Amino acid sequence: AATRKVWLSNIIRSKKEIDAVQSLRNWILAATLLSTVAVSLTVGVGSFVSTMIHIAPWMDDGNLGWKVFSIIVCYLGAFFCMTQAIRYFNHTIIAMNSKVDDSMWNMLEGIEMMRENALSIDDVGNLLNRGALFYTIGMRFYYVSFPAFIYLFGPIPLLGSSSFMTLALVFLD
């Protein structure tokens, strides 16, 4: 979080806002793609499970409804978090590029309240960090959805996928 604030401060002070906008644009595009995939997977899981019940009735062990519900909650949680990340990244871009210097304040006479409520670099950094937090939580929903999906095939595959995901996150995080 502190590193992002330092990065943002350096970008704003060096007058290279276009670099930040391009970086945030890439983050927004990734979040948009991931939110679209989350909605598609929500629909796909429903179709997959309804088809599998007819093909492989052994899958319905009485807990199938809860298993599918947990998968759908993961994907809808990922969708919500990614859309919030997009929202905060867009706010960051607007706030970062709406600086007003002293010469502009003199032109805007009578708007003293605006001057008192102007965003500082720390405020813009908080917007960026909030967007990054939602992005991270959305990715965690995706990570949890993998073992939840594998649980459709039984408790042993769930144990294996959970162990794999835990080891992968230890090294990736």
Side-chain angles (χ1 to χ4, degrees):
T3 306
R4 280 188 292 272
K5 283 186 179 182
V6 169
W7 173 78
L8 186 68
S9 176
N10 289 336
I11 289 287
I12 290 174
R13 287 197 175 99
S14 67
K15 305 288 186 198
K16 293 183 180 179
E17 289 92 353
I18 192 69
D19 292 341
V21 169
Q22 287 174 345
S23 298
L24 288 168
R25 180 203 60 198
N26 292 340
W27 221 345
I28 289 169
L29 288 173
T32 302
L33 175 70
L34 289 169
S35 64
T36 304
V37 168
V39 170
S40 300
L41 285 173
T42 301
V43 173
V45 164
S47 298
F48 173 76
V49 170
S50 66
T51 302
M52 286 306 291
I53 287 177
H54 296 301
I55 295 172
W58 54 268
M59 281 186 64
D60 191 6
D61 61 353
N63 292 326
L64 185 63
W66 288 107
K67 292 176 185 179
V68 172
F69 179 73
S70 68
I71 296 168
I72 289 173
V73 165
C74 287
Y75 290 137
L76 291 178
F79 172 76
F80 172 76
C81 288
M82 291 299 171
T83 55
Q84 290 302 309
I86 293 166
R87 175 178 167 249
Y88 280 109
F89 293 147
N90 283 325
H91 287 321
T92 301
I93 291 171
I94 291 169
M96 183 177 53
N97 288 311
S98 61
K99 295 182 308 295
V100 179
D101 59 7
D102 287 334
S103 63
M104 293 174 78
W105 285 120
N106 294 333
M107 291 172 33
L108 299 170
E109 294 175 20
I111 310 179
E112 195 60 35
M113 187 179 83
M114 237 175 104
R115 185 177 212 164
E116 293 170 7
N117 294 328
L119 291 176
S120 67
I121 291 176
D122 194 49
D123 294 333
V124 178
N126 288 337
L127 286 172
L128 178 63
N129 284 333
R130 205 168 294 138
L133 176 67
F134 275 111
Y135 190 90
T136 301
I137 293 170
M139 288 305 299
R140 297 294 168 95
F141 273 115
Y142 271 112
Y143 297 148
V144 169
S145 72
F146 179 69
F149 182 75
I150 297 298
Y151 187 42
L152 289 173
F153 302 103
I156 304 292
L158 170 66
L159 176 65
S161 66
S162 296
S163 301
F164 170 75
M165 190 58 63
T166 303
L167 288 174
L169 286 177
V170 164
F171 291 111
L172 293 175
D173 252 358

